[in-house]
Amino acid sequence: MSRHLRIVLVHPPHESDASLRAAALHAGLMEACYDLVASLPADFHLPEEIARLQPDMIIVDAESDARDVLEHIVVATRDERRPIVMFTEDDKQSSMDAAMEAGVSAYIVAGLKPERIKPVLSVALARFRKEQKLLDELQDTKLKLAERKVVDRAKGLLMSRHGMTEDQAYQRLRTMAMNKKLKLAEIAQRILDVEDLLG
């Protein structure tokens, strides 16, 4: 993990940033040489602050019920996911489930000791990267499947309109795509669009 990881610390608006928990968290971050770029309350300004600061990771310090904080975190990270680590005293299963659903990478209960911060952040970052890779692969697979369906529909159209075999329709699509310097799915979509226009 980079020693220059840019971190934003988020705390509930009603909890003091000067609490003992916050002090331990600050100490752990400084000890591990992380770059704490800001300490922010979880309020309606949080999304614009996160967008402005562009941190590599968000740490949530919430002693108790953190539902309000989670709502602000979800809004702040919905367009650009980031690893989120939550330090809390709330050990309710429903709170843990809500946090994980909101995208929290690590939910740490009663574990705010300065010497534990670096390993916790390392694991959270690794977990986030692995999950992000899986999500990217899933998105890529969905895209390829959608493209394949478009190509299959265009082949079917060429076969029915021009009496081609499946292989001939595929070869026609390939030739058209190469001639136009387009992807196979793009030329297939154009054929389907023209068909939709002409009825």
Side-chain angles (χ1 to χ4, degrees), residues 129-191:
R129 286 179 176 157
K130 184 174 183 174
E131 183 178 290
Q132 194 61 42
K133 183 178 179 217
L134 288 173
L135 289 172
D136 291 345
E137 288 171 0
L138 177 61
Q139 188 63 32
D140 187 49
T141 300
K142 285 180 177 178
L143 178 64
K144 286 179 181 172
L145 181 60
E147 288 177 347
R148 184 176 179 152
K149 286 180 180 180
V150 167
V151 169
D152 286 346
R153 284 182 52 217
K155 281 192 310 187
L157 183 65
L158 290 174
M159 290 163 60
S160 67
R161 293 274 185 197
H162 302 288
M164 297 178 172
T165 66
E166 184 176 356
D167 190 50
Q168 289 171 327
Y170 180 76
Q171 291 305 323
R172 172 77 61 91
L173 286 172
R174 273 192 73 205
T175 301
M176 291 169 70
M178 284 190 282
N179 289 343
K180 303 259 185 211
K181 295 184 171 56
L182 294 171
K183 290 172 55 178
L184 193 60
E186 292 170 332
I187 202 73
Q189 186 62 57
R190 286 185 179 188
I191 289 171

Side-chain angles (χ1 to χ4, degrees), residues 1 121-131:
M1 180 192 289
L121 298 188
S122 294
V123 169
L125 187 59
R127 180 173 185 252
F128 173 81
R129 286 179 176 157
K130 184 174 183 174
E131 183 178 290

Side-chain angles (χ1 to χ4, degrees), residues 17-147:
D17 187 39
S19 71
L20 289 175
R21 292 172 50 74
L25 194 45
H26 283 257
L29 292 169
M30 296 308 150
E31 190 176 294
C33 300
Y34 292 126
D35 184 9
L36 180 60
V37 294
S39 183
L40 306 169
D43 58 20
F44 66 92
H45 295 292
L46 186 63
E48 64 192 51
E49 286 298 311
I50 295 292
R52 183 180 66 80
L53 295 168
Q54 293 294 307
D56 299 312
M57 179 180 283
I58 297 170
I59 296 178
V60 179
D61 177 23
E63 268 187 54
S64 57
D65 188 5
R67 272 181 285 205
D68 292 341
V69 175
L70 286 176
E71 288 174 17
H72 290 291
I73 293 288
V74 167
V75 171
T77 60
R78 74 173 159 228
D79 295 330
E80 189 173 345
R81 294 191 68 230
R82 292 180 168 80
I84 302 166
V85 177
M86 178 175 276
F87 289 95
T88 184
E89 299 301 320
D90 184 357
D91 63 355
K92 293 189 298 260
Q93 186 64 46
S94 61
S95 299
M96 290 179 207
D97 292 343
M100 298 315 274
E101 186 67 31
V104 170
S105 307
Y107 188 94
I108 312 301
V109 178
L112 191 52
K113 296 180 180 151
E115 65 275 8
R116 287 192 61 207
I117 291 173
K118 184 174 183 175
V120 164
L121 298 188
S122 294
V123 169
L125 187 59
R127 180 173 185 252
F128 173 81
R129 286 179 176 157
K130 184 174 183 174
E131 183 178 290
Q132 194 61 42
K133 183 178 179 217
L134 288 173
L135 289 172
D136 291 345
E137 288 171 0
L138 177 61
Q139 188 63 32
D140 187 49
T141 300
K142 285 180 177 178
L143 178 64
K144 286 179 181 172
L145 181 60
E147 288 177 347

